[in-house]
């Protein structure tokens, strides 16, 4: 009841009991540590106009629900770049997207690995992409008909309370990991801003639960905090799954605890609530037996 008043919904007594044993918290990056509202910051292009690059990218991303896709679509709308029509679309989970435009052009948009596989000049863009990533931006390669023609770089600022919440968890003796599919440079930059203990980057969606299992094999008692469809298996795998309230329905459904305010400080509060509740129960038991 006290949790509910503070926007912390605990689904079972077992979850509340397990939360006080947690010594490791794994935080998803996008939408959990960060705002989850990325914006297009930089566009690099070669042999193609900026507006054309954005129109091609917007067409390719029109079928995607990913926050980075929404950032590109929003930017295209702002600058008036009309997205190309698409005849075929594939979501390449953890890598990016593939789309065939109605004019016959084939487009891949996503990570460096995807560009290397489908274009012969991805290496020429590597240094510039690394420079953007070192500033905390996520560079996405745009490949058209087997050639990388540009990079659209997106940044997602961290939430105001994230660093303070992580400090509070660390003060309580909890080790904090940040888990992300982003490249290592971007992840390290965000991790340093948020002051996490350890950054685990370039993790594919299907590998998140495996990473939680690995920590558990080391004897750690893990709480996973996430908001996306990709986080659901990891939320189930962890001793305590904690969903951010603004996240997807499947993440909320898979979690043991739901944080309605989307504020990481509530992760610390949920663990504190668990400690206080168990202490209260023990005190009551002691006095009951004593009586």
């Amino acid at each position: 009841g006290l949790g509910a008043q503070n926007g912390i919904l605990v689904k079972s007594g077992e979850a509340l009991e397990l939360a006080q044993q947690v010594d490791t918290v794994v935080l998803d990056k996008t939408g959990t540590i960060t705002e989850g509202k990325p914006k297009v910051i930089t566009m690099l292009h070669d042999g193609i106009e900026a507006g054309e690059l954005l129109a091609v990218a917007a067409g390719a991303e029109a079928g995607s629900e990913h926050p980075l896709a929404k950032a590109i679509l929003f930017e295209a709308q702002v600058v008036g770049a009309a997205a190309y029509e698409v005849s075929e679309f594939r979501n390449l989970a953890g890598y990016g997207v593939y789309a065939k435009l109605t004019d016959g052009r084939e487009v891949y948009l996503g990570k460096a690995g995807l560009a290397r596989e489908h274009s012969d000049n991805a290496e020429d863009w590597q240094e510039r992409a690394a420079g953007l990533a070192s500033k905390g931006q996520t560079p996405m390669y745009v490949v058209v008909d087997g050639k990388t023609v540009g990079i659209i770089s997106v940044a997602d600022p961290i939430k105001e309370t994230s660093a303070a919440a992580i400090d509070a968890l660390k003060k309580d003796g909890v080790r904090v990991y940040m888990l992300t599919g982003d490249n290592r440079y971007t992840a390290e930059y965000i991790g340093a801003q948020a002051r996490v203990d350890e950054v685990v980057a370039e993790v594919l969606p299907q590998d998140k639960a495996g990473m939680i299992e690995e920590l558990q094999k080391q004897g750690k008692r893990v709480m996973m905090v996430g908001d996306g469809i990709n986080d659901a298996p990891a939320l189930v795998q962890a001793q305590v799954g904690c969903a951010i309230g603004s996240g997807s329905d499947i993440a909320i459904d898979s979690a043991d605890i739901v944080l309605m305010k989307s504020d990481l400080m509530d992760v610390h509060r949920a663990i504190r609530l668990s400690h206080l509740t168990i202490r209260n129960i023990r005190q009551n038991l002691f006095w009951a037996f004593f009586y």
Side-chain angles (χ1 to χ4, degrees):
L2 183 62
Q5 285 171 29
N6 289 280
I8 300 168
L9 305 183
V10 185
K11 292 188 183 177
S12 69
E14 186 188 7
L16 194 62
E17 191 173 344
L18 286 171
Q20 58 102 28
Q21 300 171 8
V22 164
D23 57 18
T24 304
V25 171
V26 178
L27 304 171
D28 179 52
K29 179 184 79 72
T30 305
T32 303
I33 291 177
T34 65
E35 295 280 358
K37 295 171 186 169
K39 297 181 182 72
V40 172
I41 305 296
T42 310
M43 286 201 299
L44 306 175
H45 45 95
D46 185 16
I48 187 172
E49 292 297 317
E52 175 72 0
L53 179 73
L54 206 48
V56 166
E61 291 284 24
S64 174
E65 287 296 313
H66 198 280
L68 298 183
K70 288 176 183 173
I72 289 174
L73 292 166
F74 179 75
E75 184 67 17
Q77 206 174 359
V78 168
V79 303
Y84 279 96
E85 292 290 319
V86 171
S87 60
E88 195 182 328
F89 172 83
R90 280 202 311 273
N91 186 27
L92 310 170
Y95 291 99
V97 297
Y98 161 81
K100 188 169 187 176
L101 307 184
T102 50
D103 63 14
R105 286 182 291 175
E106 291 193 295
V107 180
Y108 286 90
L109 195 153
K111 291 182 177 176
L114 186 71
R116 279 196 295 271
E117 193 178 332
H118 296 284
S119 81
D120 51 13
N121 66 329
E123 300 294 336
D124 301 345
W125 296 84
Q126 199 171 330
E127 202 173 312
R128 283 174 281 181
L132 295 170
S134 67
K135 297 174 190 169
Q137 297 175 32
T138 302
M140 289 181 285
Y141 289 69
V142 183
V143 177
V144 179
D145 289 337
K147 186 183 177 190
T148 300
V149 294
I151 286 176
I152 298 177
S153 193
V154 172
D156 185 12
I158 73 165
K159 293 176 184 172
E160 281 182 24
T161 56
S162 289
I166 288 162
D167 284 343
L169 286 167
K170 284 156 72 175
K171 205 173 281 182
D172 283 351
V174 175
R175 188 163 180 81
V176 183
Y177 289 72
M178 185 184 86
L179 192 60
T180 178
D182 268 352
N183 70 69
R184 189 167 47 84
Y185 297 110
T186 306
E188 292 287 354
Y189 181 89
I190 300 291
Q193 277 192 315
R195 300 196 282 271
V196 298
D197 291 306
E198 204 159 324
V199 172
V200 184
E202 299 176 13
V203 180
L204 294 175
Q206 60 268 29
D207 296 336
K208 287 184 176 182
M211 188 263 177
I212 301 293
E213 193 178 356
E214 197 58 44
L215 290 171
Q216 288 170 328
K217 282 177 184 170
Q218 295 167 24
K220 292 179 168 62
R221 292 181 293 277
V222 183
M223 176 187 277
M224 169 71 194
V225 186
D227 75 323
I229 292 169
N230 296 334
D231 301 323
L235 291 169
V236 173
Q237 177 64 43
Q239 272 93 342
V240 182
C242 195
I244 294 285
S246 62
S248 66
D249 290 346
I250 193 166
I252 291 168
D253 203 42
S254 306
D256 305 299
I257 297 172
V258 179
L259 308 178
M260 297 308 294
K261 294 183 198 162
S262 301
D263 181 353
L264 269 191
M265 196 56 87
D266 283 345
V267 176
H268 174 247
R269 291 189 188 110
I271 293 172
R272 289 274 300 145
L273 179 67
S274 173
H275 279 284
L276 292 170
T277 305
I278 300 301
R279 190 176 75 181
N280 203 319
I281 289 168
R282 285 174 182 153
Q283 284 172 348
N284 289 348
L285 282 170
F286 171 78
W287 288 113
F289 282 123
F290 181 78
Y291 179 77

